[in-house]
Each structure stands twice: as C-alpha cells, then as structure tokens.
C-alpha cells in the first residue's frame, strides 16, 4: 500500500508546524523562532499535548533555541515564522 494522499484545502496542503524534540524526550510543534534584541539570544515557542488524569493538557512555552532538536528534514522548518522581541518590548517580524 502506498503513501496516503495529502488532503488538499483550497488546492493546497495545509501547513503544520514541524516537530522538535526536547531533552526529556517530549516531541513538540515548533510555532516560531524569536530573537531577543537585548542579547541576541534565540528562543523557540513550542506546543505539545500531555495527558493527565485522562484529560489532555495543552502546553505552549518559550524555551532557549538550543534546547530543541530538529526531528524533521531541514526543509520542514523553512516556513516557521521568525520574529524579534525588541528592547522596547514590541514584537516584530525578523
């Protein structure tokens, strides 16, 4: 049996955030990269689900970029948004 066909919406395959791994083995979606203008450090906004007491809990956190491992081919990360957190507290595209 071949690969399942991608489901097209308005003629396009919908974008899904790529998967990254954390040191504890958690797999998460990479929502965006964020550079902090004050020190130049890169951070990653990630999201994952965790089941607790038979109920899913949704987590969205900001972690240092070097704390995540890319688990998909490099091209999967091409569309991940990049932004800058300015010293003035404003967020803008990178």
């Amino acid at each position: 049996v071949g690969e399942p066909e991608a489901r097209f919406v308005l003629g396009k395959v919908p974008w899904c955030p790529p998967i990254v791994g954390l040191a504890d083995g958690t797999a998460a979606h990479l929502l965006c990269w964020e550079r902090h203008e004050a020190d130049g450090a890169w951070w990653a906004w990630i999201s994952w689900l965790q089941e607790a007491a038979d109920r899913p809990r949704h987590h969205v956190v900001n972690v240092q970029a070097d704390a995540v491992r890319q688990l998909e081919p490099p091209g999967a990360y091409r569309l991940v948004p990049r932004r800058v957190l300015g010293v003035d507290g404003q967020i803008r595209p990178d």
Side-chain angles (χ1 to χ4, degrees):
V1 179
E3 291 288 319
E5 285 188 36
R7 301 245 178 205
F8 288 89
V9 175
L10 300 176
K12 297 181 179 181
V13 175
W15 183 74
C16 179
I19 304 293
V20 293
L22 302 176
D24 68 359
T26 299
H29 284 109
L30 175 61
L31 304 176
C32 83
W33 296 113
E34 184 175 87
R35 182 173 55 84
H36 290 197
E37 194 173 57
D39 63 4
W42 280 95
W43 292 74
W45 281 96
I46 60 173
S47 169
W48 75 95
L49 290 175
Q50 178 181 29
E51 192 160 327
D54 295 329
R55 294 189 57 191
R57 291 186 53 209
H58 185 218
H59 299 271
V60 177
V61 298
N62 190 10
V63 298
Q64 290 185 325
D66 60 3
V68 300
R69 289 183 295 119
Q70 295 181 359
L71 300 177
E72 298 189 57
Y77 301 89
R78 178 176 37 102
L79 296 177
V80 175
R82 292 174 180 260
R83 62 190 195 180
V84 174
L85 174 61
V87 292
D88 60 359
Q90 297 297 309
I91 294 175
R92 62 182 185 277
D94 186 32

